[in-house]
Structure formats: structure tokens, C-alpha cells
């Protein structure tokens, strides 16, 4: 008896618990979203917070003017206009020594020439502040570039190419449509598995684009076997470089074929070497990155996302600004991370926020599901209701018929028939059509009912409503065989 009582008590408790759970689930839709969000966040397993990207520095990270400056340099007429005299303590002899040291450390052909000297001094004079900003940006991006370049056996100095290409702006877009840090055109990006869809553009993804660029550069080196020509072909295309070699009577040194390259490419390699020099000798010229750089790539991590999530949702849940999410995840064009059963999509976050998401994954997705369930859903089972409209009813005149015969057939007088057809005489011709009355035709409505018109019968209504039979009308409207229709009556039809 004791066991039986205990069992009954347990069953009772379990039943109460299940009912309570059902009540909670049923009330979720009615719950205020902010209240539910606060309750979710209050239950999070918290982690210590690290320094964050402030709005001021975030603006610096995505600033477009550096890209525009570099673009203007490559296409401008005064690219090498600076005098070759001493500037900022840099004499010709000192520059030659430093370039020679650089040449010893790289497979690139770093050689002194007057054009390069003028460009370096021009950059130091006009772009010193810009290079301080670029040096700061490089502390975030260069570790990522170097990892991919090393993995694909590409010289690490190639990282400076992104300064010339995009000024380290992942959202840079050229007038030709080249996009991202490495400025991939759509077709080339496709060739190297950079997906472009409504949701995302992998050309803007720093990691994926860097991997693709490393493979592309490796393929170009297989063609030319010279890193100067590889960079020239990265900018102008291998076809234009091959054409310049032919026009230069087979010469293959970049400086020898330079006059036969497109204008932008003529300035491209000098800009690369000038950038390399300034980055390598920044200290000697008093160029240093901003002291308040809040985050480096090593202070972030990626998390695989298992639901479609918007930046707005992530921002509310993890207390991180949408602008910061956009900077860390530029590949997502609509500020939405899609979900695919066949492909993982990743979210990059500061370490503390990544830890918070991983530790509270189920709660985060519960909130995402909560918001999804609150959205209005389409009801594909709603039947299309019907109303009716009145149309002319016609009679095709047969040989031997007269106006009187036709009028009598449709219960009309000759005068009525002639009035309906605006006839002035009784002359008619076989094959012509006469209006002999009005007919009710069913049309789409939205209320689920049919309004009975004068002259309607269950037969005529069912004939004009596809899928509606007389028996169905009777059943839906509780009608017997003796029931009659009256104009204005509403009949359920679904």
C-alpha cells in the first residue's frame, strides 16, 4: 500500500510538471520579447570581458579614404613627381643600403632606381599619417595573411600587396567591381571557390580571400617563375603581361617591359616596393601604429552557427555592437548569418563573446527560436472564398430564327430584347450574338462565403464554384432538400 501511494504521488507530480511545462511553452508567444531576452541573459554563464573595439577606432578600421588615396596614387599623373633629394634623413646612399638589405631577405627583386626613390620620398612626405593608420590595421590583418601565405609557400612579403590593392579595407570595391582585401573579380573569385550569393560574399571574407589569393599567386608563379611578373599579372592579368613581354622583344624583367604594361600596372610594383620599404623601416622614419589598438586577430575566435541568426539578435544577446560584428564578419552582406545543412557558416567574435556564446549555445538558440515563432507564418490551408459578379448572357442566332422566337425562348418581350441590344429594327443575321440576360459568375473573395443573388439555385452556384458540390453546400450550411434560397443569404462554401 505504501509503494502504491508513493507511485500515485510521483505520477501526480509528473503530471503537474508536464502541465506546467506546456503552460510555459504556450505562453512564450505572448511573452514580451524584452522580458524574455532579459531572462535568457540573466541565466547566462558569464565570462570576464576583454577590451572592446570602441566606435572611434572602429570607424578607423572601415575608413574608405585610405583606399581612395591609394587608388588615386596608382592612377594619378604625378605618381613619381617628388624630387630625388634628401628627405626625412633619407639620402640616396642610405636608401640603396636599405633596399639591398631588403633584397637579401626576400625572393623579390628589390633594386634601387630613381623612380622608386622618388615614390618612397613622396609617400613619406604626403602619406605619413596614412601609413600610421595602415600600420595599426596591419596588426589585425597581417597574422591572418601570413598564415595562409606560409601554408601555400608564398613569400610573406606578399602581404604588402593588400595595402596597394585595398588599403586593408575588406569592403573596398573598385570601379571594375573587384572586391575585398585582395580585390577579386567575380569570375576569378569563382575559380578559386569564393562564393557570392544573396547572403554572403566570400571575396570580403579575410580568411577565405587570403587562402584564394595565395593559391592564385602560386598558379601565376607556375606560369611566370618571377615574383615581379606575378604581381604585375595579379593586377593586369597574365594575358596583358604576356603581351607586354612580346612587345618588349621577349624581355622578361618587369622594369624592361613596364612601358608596355597598362598605366595602373606601371605604377603597381613601385607602389608595392615603396610600401614594403616604409613598413620595414617605419621605426627609422618615426612611423608607429596608434597606441590604442583595442584588438588583434589573436584576440578573436570563430564559432560555427547552427541557426540562421541576424547581427541584431547577436548584438542583443551578447552585448556587442552591430558595427563591430560587421567589421569582424564582413562577408555577410545582409547582416544575417545563413544556416545550411550542407555547409558550416562561422561567426567571428572577440574571445570573451565567443566564450559566452559557446557556453550558452542552447539558450541563445532558444531566443532565436522564440523570435522566429513570433513571426507571422503563412497559412497555406486557408481556402479561397468566393463572391459573384454579373455578366452578360448571350445567344448565337441560328438560321431561321426571328427576334420574337429568341425573345420567347428566354422569357423576354421583343421590346426588352431590342433594348438589351440597342436594336432599332427587327433585322438579325445568323452567327451574330444577342444579349439575352445576365448570368452570375463566381469570382475570388476573402470572406469564405457566397452571397445569394436573385435567380440563384444550389445547382447554379455549384456549377460556378469549382470544387463545390450541391451536397457540400447542403452539409456546410445545414440545409435539407426543402430549404430555399433568398437573395442576400450568405452560404458557407469552405
Amino acid at each position: 500500500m505504501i509503494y502504491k501511494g508513493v507511485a500515485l504521488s510521483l505520477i501526480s507530480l509528473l503530471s503537474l510538471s508536464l502541465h506546467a511545462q506546456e503552460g510555459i511553452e504556450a505562453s512564450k508567444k505572448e511573452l514580451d520579447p524584452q522580458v524574455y531576452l532579459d531572462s535568457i541573459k540573466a541565466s547566462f554563464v558569464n565570462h570576464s570581458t576583454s577590451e572592446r573595439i570602441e566606435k572611434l577606432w572602429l570607424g578607423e578600421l572601415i575608413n574608405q579614404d585610405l583606399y581612395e588615396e591609394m587608388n588615386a596614387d596608382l592612377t594619378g599623373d604625378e605618381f613619381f613627381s617628388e624630387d630625388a633629394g634628401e628627405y626625412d634623413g633619407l639620402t640616396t646612399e642610405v636608401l640603396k643600403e636599405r633596399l639591398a638589405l631588403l633584397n637579401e631577405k626576400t625572393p623579390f627583386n628589390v633594386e634601387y632606381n630613381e623612380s622608386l626613390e622618388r615614390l618612397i620620398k613622396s609617400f613619406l612626405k604626403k602619406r605619413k599619417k596614412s601609413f600610421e593608420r595602415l600600420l595599426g590595421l596591419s596588426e589585425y590583418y597581417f597574422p591572418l595573411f601570413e598564415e595562409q601565405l606560409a601554408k601555400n609557400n608564398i613569400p610573406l612579403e606578399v602581404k604588402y600587396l593588400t595595402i596597394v590593392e585595398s588599403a586593408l579595407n575588406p569592403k573596398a570595391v573598385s570601379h571594375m567591381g573587384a572586391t575585398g582585401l585582395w580585390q577579386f573579380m567575380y569570375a576569378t573569385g569563382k575559380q578559386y571557390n569564393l562564393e557570392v550569393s544573396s547572403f554572403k560574399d566570400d571575396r570580403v571574407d579575410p580568411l577565405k580571400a587570403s587562402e584564394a589569393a595565395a593559391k592564385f599567386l602560386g598558379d601565376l608563379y607556375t606560369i611566370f617563375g618571377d615574383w615581379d611578373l606575378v604581381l604585375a599579372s595579379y593586377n593586369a592579368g597574365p594575358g596583358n603581361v604576356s603581351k607586354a613581354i612580346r612587345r618588349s622583344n621577349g624581355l622578361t624583367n618587369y622594369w624592361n617591359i613596364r612601358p608596355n604594361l597598362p598605366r595602373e600596372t606601371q605604377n603597381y610594383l613601385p607602389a608595392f616596393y615603396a610600401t614594403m620599404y616604409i613598413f620595414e623601416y617605419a621605426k627609422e622614419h618615426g612611423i608607429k601604429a596608434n597606441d590604442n589598438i583595442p584588438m588583434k586577430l589573436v584576440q578573436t575566435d570563430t564559432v560555427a552557427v547552427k541557426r540562421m541568426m541576424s547581427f541584431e539578435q547577436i548584438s542583443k544577446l551578447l552585448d556587442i555592437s552591430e558595427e563591430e560584428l560587421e567589421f569582424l564578419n564582413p562577408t555577410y552582406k545582409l547582416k544575417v548569418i545563413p544556416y545550411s545543412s550542407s555547409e558550416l557558416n562561422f561567426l567571428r567574435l572577440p574571445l570573451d563573446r565567443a566564450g559566452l556564446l559557446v557556453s550558452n549555445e542552447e539558450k541563445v538558440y532558444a531566443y532565436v527560436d522564440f523570435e522566429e515563432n513570433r513571426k507571422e507564418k503563412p497559412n497555406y490551408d486557408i481556402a479561397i472564398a468566393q463572391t459573384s459578379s454579373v455578366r452578360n448572357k448571350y445567344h448565337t442566332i441560328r438560321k431561321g430564327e426571328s427576334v420574337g422566337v429568341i425573345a420567347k425562348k428566354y422569357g423576354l418581350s421583343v421590346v426588352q430584347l431590342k433594348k438589351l441590344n440597342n436594336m432599332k429594327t427587327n433585322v438579325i443575321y445568323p452567327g451574330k450574338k444577342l444579349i439575352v440576360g445576365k448570368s452570375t459568375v463566381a469570382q475570388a473573395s476573402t470572406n469564405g462565403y457566397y452571397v445569394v443573388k436573385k435567380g440563384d439555385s444550389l445547382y447554379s452556384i455549384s456549377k460556378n464554384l469549382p470544387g463545390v458540390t450541391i451536397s457540400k453546400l447542403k452539409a456546410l450550411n445545414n440545409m435539407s432538400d426543402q430549404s430555399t434560397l433568398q437573395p442576400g443569404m450568405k452560404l458557407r462554401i469552405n
Side-chain angles (χ1 to χ4, degrees), residues 31 41 43 68 76 86 191 200 270 296 336 368 378 459 487:
L31 191 61
K41 291 170 68 174
S43 68
E68 291 170 356
E86 180 180 341
Q191 185 180 345
K200 63 180 186 176
K296 298 181 181 180
V336 171
V368 173
Y459 172 76

Side-chain angles (χ1 to χ4, degrees), residues 355-412:
L356 188 64
L357 174 56
V358 170
S359 300
N360 300 279
E361 224 172 355
E362 289 186 8
K363 297 171 184 175
V364 167
Y365 294 141
Y367 179 76
V368 173
D369 290 341
F370 166 77
E371 285 209 328
E372 181 63 29
N373 290 334
R374 284 178 54 82
K375 292 181 183 177
E376 182 181 348
K377 301 295 191 299
N379 186 351
Y380 300 108
D381 295 326
I382 292 178
I384 297 176
Q386 307 286 324
T387 60
S388 62
S389 68
V390 178
R391 295 180 183 176
N392 289 330
K393 186 176 181 181
Y394 292 90
H395 171 82
T396 303
I397 302 169
R398 297 190 181 96
K399 188 177 180 180
E401 287 184 328
S402 66
V403 172
V405 170
I406 296 170
K408 186 178 179 180
K409 180 176 182 180
Y410 292 98
L412 301 170

Side-chain angles (χ1 to χ4, degrees), residues 406-447:
I406 296 170
K408 186 178 179 180
K409 180 176 182 180
Y410 292 98
L412 301 170
S413 68
V414 171
V415 174
Q416 288 174 322
L417 182 62
K418 290 173 70 175
K419 188 176 180 180
L420 282 171
N421 293 276
N422 296 316
M423 295 169 60
K424 294 181 180 180
T425 70
N426 290 341
V427 179
I428 56 176
Y429 300 94
K432 298 292 183 180
K433 290 185 177 182
L434 292 176
I435 298 172
V436 293
K438 304 291 182 179
S439 62
T440 302
V441 180
Q443 291 181 328
S445 176
T446 57
N447 57 15

Side-chain angles (χ1 to χ4, degrees), residues 10 16 58-59 164 186 234 420 428:
L10 286 172
L16 286 170
L58 185 64
V164 182
Y186 177 84
Y234 189 92
L420 282 171
I428 56 176

Side-chain angles (χ1 to χ4, degrees), residues 181-302:
L181 290 159
W182 295 92
Q183 289 288 280
F184 271 101
M185 294 295 287
Y186 177 84
T188 311
K190 256 320 194 192
Q191 185 180 345
Y192 288 89
N193 300 317
L194 295 180
E195 179 188 345
V196 179
S197 68
S198 298
F199 277 109
K200 63 180 186 176
D201 188 341
D202 286 343
R203 296 176 298 171
V204 177
D205 185 286
L207 180 61
K208 292 180 179 179
S210 298
E211 184 178 10
K215 291 177 179 176
F216 183 29
L217 289 160
D219 290 344
L220 291 174
Y221 186 76
T222 301
I223 296 171
F224 293 104
D226 178 278
W227 285 109
D228 285 358
L229 297 183
V230 166
L231 294 194
S233 60
Y234 189 92
N235 178 255
N240 281 325
V241 173
S242 298
K243 192 187 298 180
I245 291 172
R246 289 196 301 273
R247 289 176 177 174
S248 305
N249 299 317
L251 298 176
T252 57
N253 183 285
Y254 169 81
W255 295 97
N256 293 332
I257 70 168
R258 184 167 168 262
N260 292 311
L261 288 168
R263 180 180 184 80
E264 184 180 321
T265 312
Q266 292 178 21
N267 298 337
Y268 190 75
L269 203 67
F272 172 79
Y273 282 131
T275 300
M276 182 192 296
Y277 169 82
I278 291 175
F279 265 77
E280 295 291 335
Y281 288 97
K283 185 178 179 181
E284 284 76 2
H285 291 286
I287 300 172
K288 59 179 181 179
N290 300 25
D291 294 331
N292 63 337
I293 297 171
M295 185 179 297
K296 298 181 181 180
L297 187 71
V298 292
Q299 295 172 313
T300 67
D301 201 359
T302 55

Side-chain angles (χ1 to χ4, degrees), residues 63-129:
N63 202 315
Q64 183 76 5
D65 62 351
L66 289 176
Y67 171 67
E68 291 170 356
E69 280 180 8
M70 186 60 72
N71 231 16
D73 281 338
L74 290 179
T75 56
D77 293 327
E78 300 179 356
F79 192 66
F80 298 103
S81 62
E82 191 68 29
D83 292 334
E86 180 180 341
Y87 180 77
D88 200 28
L90 184 63
T91 64
T92 299
E93 289 306 313
V94 170
L95 180 60
K96 285 181 178 179
E97 289 175 11
R98 290 176 179 175
L99 292 176
L101 289 173
L102 281 180
N103 192 52
E104 292 173 2
K105 299 190 296 181
T106 176
F108 286 93
N109 301 314
V110 186
E111 297 174 351
Y112 170 85
N113 61 67
E114 287 187 9
S115 295
L116 182 57
E117 180 178 4
R118 286 198 297 271
L119 181 58
I120 289 172
K121 290 176 178 176
S122 178
F123 276 3
L124 288 172
K125 184 176 182 180
K126 300 175 182 177
R127 300 279 186 257
K128 204 165 187 178
K129 288 291 183 184

Side-chain angles (χ1 to χ4, degrees), residues 120-152:
I120 289 172
K121 290 176 178 176
S122 178
F123 276 3
L124 288 172
K125 184 176 182 180
K126 300 175 182 177
R127 300 279 186 257
K128 204 165 187 178
K129 288 291 183 184
S130 297
F131 275 96
E132 287 179 351
R133 294 163 63 188
L134 288 166
L135 204 63
L137 287 167
S138 72
E139 294 194 19
Y140 178 81
Y141 285 115
F142 276 7
L144 184 150
F145 299 159
E146 289 170 346
E147 180 184 0
Q148 294 303 318
L149 294 171
K151 190 169 75 173
N152 290 276

